[in-house]
Amino acid sequence: MAKSATVNVGPGGKTGVRIVVCGEKGTGKSSLIVTAAADTFPANVPPVLPPTRLPEDFYPDRVPITIIDTSSSMEDRSTVGEELRRADAVVLTYACDRPETLDGLSTFWLPELRRLEVKVPVIVVGCKLDLRDENHQVSLEQVMMPIMQQFREIETCIECSALKQIQIPEVFYYAQKAVLHPTGPLFDQESQALKPRCVSALKRIFILCDLDRDGALSDAELNDFQVKCFNSPLQPSEIVGVKRVVQEKLREGVNERGLTLAGFLFLHALFIEKGRLETTWTVLRKFGYNNDIKLADELIPSASFKRAPDQSVELTNETVEFLRGIFELFDVDNDNTLRPIDVVDLFSTAPESPWDEAPYKDAPEKTALDGLSLDGFLSQWALMTLLDPARSVENLIYTGYPSDPSVATRVTRRRRLDRKKQQSERNVFQCFVFGPKHAGKSALLNSFIGRPFSDDYSSTTEERYSVNVVEHGGIRKTLVLREIPEDGVGKLLSNKESLAACDIAVFVHDSSDATSWKRATELLVEVAGHGEDTGFEVPCLIVAAKDDLDSFPLAIQDSTRVSQDMGIEAPVPISSRLGDFNNIFRRIVSAAEHPHLSIPETEAGKSRKQYHRLINRSLMVVSVGAAVAIVGLAAYRVYAARKNTSSS
């Protein structure tokens, strides 16, 4: 059996780096490539070289490099564009003895890269350094600074000579380094500061290494960090030296307990400024970060989220207890509320706060000062776990979850099985809220999270969520209300499995408006029919909102007839204006807990059931007839056998 070749995987999971060299004609592209590969200046080179491969041991990262030469002819521009789009890095050349080729970088080549949407590091290389006029010597920094300020994608500038073999290996080393250890995600060149996401990652790493939680890395903790990241210990003199460098530049970077977070961040900014990006990247990758400064996908246990459409994901009791502890830790003033600044601090070790945007931003109950109670805090986590379990677990890890992430959540039993068992064991129920415009759906969601009633009407055009804890029979359940705009019902039901995630559906209508009632019943029949067709039937409740207004004529008669015909409870009257909700949220939870009840039947569904009963009855008659025939045949055979015996 042939042995498969092993592929060397470099930093960031790279198995190879593809560098495309381009620039004006005669700027030394081909000579640069040949001299780098052969370590000698070529006497003659073809107009365009074939792809050139530098072996994996050419540079310390041990990742092979493929260098692509390109044509300078106008007729080959489309081919050059294709090569540039496939590049990991671009080397742009100009000739040191021809200033017009340098001008061409900012007038053509760099704008062209942007037009082609080539978003990779760019290394600007001045070739033919040996031919520069000695009477017109200008520093590289002075020449390139205006261009680099205009084109931030330029990673490095370097000048070289293929003939004199000056800085040739460095060109492709910097190009490879820019791919394997990119500056962009770590450092803002304009502000000369670490980027927020990099700060968040390094803060988390600092906290993980601060084992005694005293806010500083002791000498022993610093040494453990060094061994973990670089597989070599620090000598006592080296530790003293590191702390001295920090303290000279940043007084608060070191205290009597050791290196502070400020000092830790300062060190990494210093590494980056001095071009030692590989140091910071090594640390980040050792702690599981990818090139986007987010936890690598393989650290998120996606296998544990595999589920049928009618299953959901919840946090385990142990994880909820961990989050209770986190709440207490960040409730610095012990008022049983997390202020917005506390939530920012909580997620300061994550790439960004997951709750800053919809659907989480306005979903939980908040205090007058925008704070979160413990119930609101846990409800947010429950909602995120329901909607996006991978993101929930990822943020658990960012906030210091200490256990195996694969046991942080559990997949619930299938809803179909819940109906057979006549009981749901879920801790989190999702309720779809349907209804026509002006029915009071948003008012219901707002009241659920303690928002005051408002007469100002604003039509809901996008789905929105409200989440809170409901105490029912001494048991606390989390209820998620998902408002479905009237215009979005068709799109929702176009998916066969759209009701699989629904534990219970609520249909809201304006009890003073006969048109609203008619439309709500149409939606009820539509949703119930979809459930019957797909096998994802759900319990349903009707809510008669605006009970403070006069009911429309025949309201009670119509609603009684519809609810009785469909086999569900009579509408529950509520008034959001008066704050009279008739225990509606407990009723919703109760109906969700008993998923075999309150399931509506449409006329089509009843006809289908009747048809199946007739078919089954016919089959039974046929089966009984067949059985009688078989018994009769057996009796005849016995009779015949006896007759033959007696005759003989």
Side-chain angles (χ1 to χ4, degrees):
M1 187 175 181
K3 188 181 292 185
S4 59
T6 57
V7 178
N8 191 50
V9 179
K14 278 288 197 182
T15 56
V17 173
R18 185 181 182 86
I19 302 171
V20 175
V21 182
C22 58
E24 293 299 318
K25 185 177 182 179
T27 54
K29 300 188 295 295
S30 301
S31 296
L32 169 67
I33 297 169
V34 171
T35 305
D39 201 24
T40 182
F41 182 74
N44 295 296
V45 290
V48 180
L49 294 169
T52 303
R53 185 180 170 93
L54 302 182
E56 65 180 41
D57 59 356
F58 204 86
Y59 295 120
D61 281 310
R62 299 187 62 80
V63 176
I65 293 175
T66 301
I67 306 172
I68 307 298
D69 194 9
T70 58
S71 169
S72 304
S73 301
M74 286 299 296
E75 56 266 26
D76 294 327
R77 282 285 153 85
S78 62
T79 304
V80 174
E82 290 173 14
E83 292 290 2
L84 287 169
R85 288 191 183 96
R86 297 172 58 203
D88 293 316
V90 173
V91 167
L92 269 183
T93 61
Y94 67 92
C96 292
D97 62 331
R98 292 166 55 203
E100 71 275 10
T101 60
L102 176 60
D103 294 338
L105 299 184
S106 52
T107 58
F108 174 75
W109 285 103
L110 289 162
E112 178 70 0
L113 290 177
R114 288 185 175 179
R115 187 187 70 80
L116 294 169
E117 298 185 348
V118 177
K119 298 177 180 178
V120 298
V122 175
I123 313 299
V124 172
V125 180
C127 300
K128 305 185 180 184
L129 180 59
D130 54 289
L131 297 180
R132 174 180 283 160
D133 186 349
E134 292 183 4
N135 297 322
H136 293 86
Q137 294 289 344
V138 184
S139 74
L140 180 62
E141 184 178 354
Q142 185 180 347
V143 170
M144 290 304 305
M145 189 57 68
I147 301 176
M148 291 186 74
Q149 286 178 342
Q150 184 182 358
F151 297 96
R152 295 288 177 183
E153 53 267 45
I154 298 175
E155 189 83 16
T156 308
C157 301
I158 185 173
E159 292 180 330
C160 66
S161 168
L163 178 64
K164 302 289 186 181
Q165 296 202 15
I166 299 171
Q167 295 204 123
I168 295 299
E170 285 84 345
V171 170
F172 298 104
Y173 170 71
Y174 286 133
Q176 184 199 60
K177 184 178 175 182
V179 176
L180 302 180
H181 313 294
T183 305
L186 303 183
F187 201 70
D188 187 325
Q189 299 281 13
E190 195 162 338
S191 64
Q192 288 292 293
L194 296 173
K195 286 190 172 178
R197 190 173 281 193
C198 179
V199 171
S200 296
L202 291 174
K203 181 178 179 181
R204 173 176 171 264
I205 291 168
F206 178 89
I207 291 170
L208 291 174
C209 295
D210 181 17
L211 300 176
D212 57 9
R213 297 289 187 269
D214 67 349
L217 298 183
S218 65
D219 290 0
E221 289 168 339
L222 259 179
N223 191 59
D224 289 344
F225 166 78
Q226 175 75 12
V227 170
K228 176 179 175 65
C229 294
F230 304 101
N231 300 317
S232 63
L234 284 169
Q235 298 302 317
S237 60
E238 293 176 308
I239 294 176
V240 171
V242 167
K243 292 196 288 189
R244 186 188 302 119
V245 167
V246 173
Q247 203 158 27
E248 285 174 357
K249 300 287 186 180
L250 190 72
R251 188 178 184 86
E252 64 270 25
V254 177
N255 62 24
E256 67 279 2
R257 295 186 298 277
L259 184 72
T260 66
L261 173 61
F264 186 71
L265 295 174
F266 169 80
L267 266 181
H268 283 281
L270 191 63
F271 291 145
I272 293 167
E273 285 177 15
K274 292 186 177 298
R276 292 174 53 191
L277 288 97
E278 64 274 14
T279 302
T280 300
W281 273 116
T282 299
V283 171
L284 291 169
R285 286 169 178 145
K286 188 63 73 170
F287 281 85
Y289 288 89
N290 59 21
N291 277 11
D292 295 322
I293 323 286
K294 297 183 74 175
L295 288 176
D297 291 342
E298 55 267 24
L299 295 181
I300 312 299
S302 57
S304 61
F305 308 136
K306 290 180 179 176
R307 57 200 184 277
D310 61 344
Q311 291 179 293
S312 57
V313 180
E314 297 179 353
L315 298 172
T316 62
N317 292 336
E318 291 75 16
T319 307
V320 171
E321 286 307 307
F322 163 75
L323 290 172
R324 287 179 187 274
I326 288 291
F327 181 90
E328 292 174 8
L329 180 66
F330 284 88
D331 178 17
V332 291
D333 53 4
N334 296 315
D335 64 348
N336 297 317
T337 302
L338 290 189
R339 300 166 299 169
I341 192 172
D342 298 329
V343 176
V344 169
D345 194 21
L346 166 65
F347 289 115
S348 65
T349 51
E352 53 269 318
S353 172
W355 299 344
D356 282 346
E357 296 177 356
Y360 309 107
K361 183 177 176 62
D362 298 316
E365 183 173 15
K366 293 185 179 179
T367 66
L369 298 176
D370 214 27
L372 275 175
S373 67
L374 177 59
D375 279 350
F377 177 72
L378 294 177
S379 294
Q380 277 281 56
W381 281 100
L383 177 62
M384 185 160 60
T385 308
L386 178 76
L387 301 182
D388 194 346
R391 191 179 190 194
S392 182
V393 170
E394 181 183 1
N395 279 282
L396 279 172
I397 298 171
Y398 287 133
T399 54
Y401 182 71
S403 304
D404 180 353
S406 65
V407 301
T409 59
R410 72 180 190 96
V411 176
T412 63
R413 190 168 67 188
R414 295 193 64 173
R415 288 176 175 84
R416 195 169 291 178
L417 187 56
D418 283 346
R419 284 204 300 276
K420 287 183 180 178
K421 299 279 188 181
Q422 300 187 358
Q423 183 72 37
S424 175
E425 298 175 339
R426 281 179 178 72
N427 294 314
V428 181
F429 293 116
Q430 182 169 198
C431 170
F432 287 15
V433 181
F434 296 96
K437 294 181 178 69
H438 296 275
K441 301 187 298 296
S442 295
L444 179 68
L445 267 72
N446 288 336
S447 64
F448 184 47
I449 53 177
R451 292 187 185 174
F453 176 79
S454 171
D455 283 313
D456 295 333
Y457 175 75
S458 177
S459 179
T460 303
T461 56
E462 300 288 337
E463 289 187 3
R464 61 168 286 218
Y465 292 82
S466 287
V467 59
N468 213 336
V469 173
V470 176
E471 195 160 338
H472 172 63
I475 298 173
R476 292 163 64 81
K477 300 285 186 180
T478 301
L479 177 62
V480 174
L481 299 183
R482 175 181 173 185
E483 181 180 356
I484 313 294
E486 183 184 2
D487 296 338
V489 175
K491 181 181 177 183
L492 176 78
L493 298 183
S494 65
N495 178 1
K496 179 184 176 183
E497 297 173 345
S498 58
L499 295 179
C502 179
D503 291 294
I504 178 169
V506 163
F507 297 83
V508 182
H509 70 277
D510 178 348
S511 59
S512 68
D513 184 349
T515 307
S516 180
W517 161 248
K518 181 176 181 295
R519 180 60 183 139
T521 56
E522 289 172 354
L523 289 171
L524 172 59
V525 171
E526 198 175 338
V527 171
H530 186 272
E532 291 169 342
D533 292 341
T534 60
F536 295 117
E537 298 103 325
V538 294
C540 294
L541 289 178
I542 303 173
V543 172
K546 305 184 184 182
D547 191 44
D548 51 290
L549 303 178
D550 292 335
S551 298
F552 66 88
L554 303 177
I556 296 175
Q557 183 178 328
D558 281 2
S559 60
T560 302
R561 176 182 54 78
V562 168
S563 56
Q564 285 181 346
D565 284 351
M566 299 192 77
I568 59 176
E569 284 185 46
V572 181
I574 68 165
S575 170
S576 297
R577 182 194 297 275
L578 300 179
D580 181 6
F581 296 104
N582 208 353
N583 287 324
I584 184 60
F585 304 117
R586 289 182 182 174
R587 290 184 184 212
I588 291 172
V589 169
S590 178
E593 284 181 321
H594 302 93
H596 61 298
L597 303 176
S598 305
I599 295 180
E601 277 191 299
T602 65
E603 290 302 322
K606 290 176 183 175
S607 299
R608 193 182 293 119
K609 279 188 178 179
Q610 183 66 22
Y611 173 74
H612 285 308
R613 286 195 197 98
L614 289 171
I615 292 294
N616 290 336
R617 195 171 296 140
S618 301
L619 289 173
M620 193 176 294
V621 170
V622 169
S623 298
V624 170
V628 169
I630 290 168
V631 170
L633 181 61
Y636 171 76
R637 284 176 175 166
V638 170
Y639 168 75
R642 286 177 180 170
K643 186 176 179 183
N644 289 336
T645 304
S646 60
S647 299
S648 58

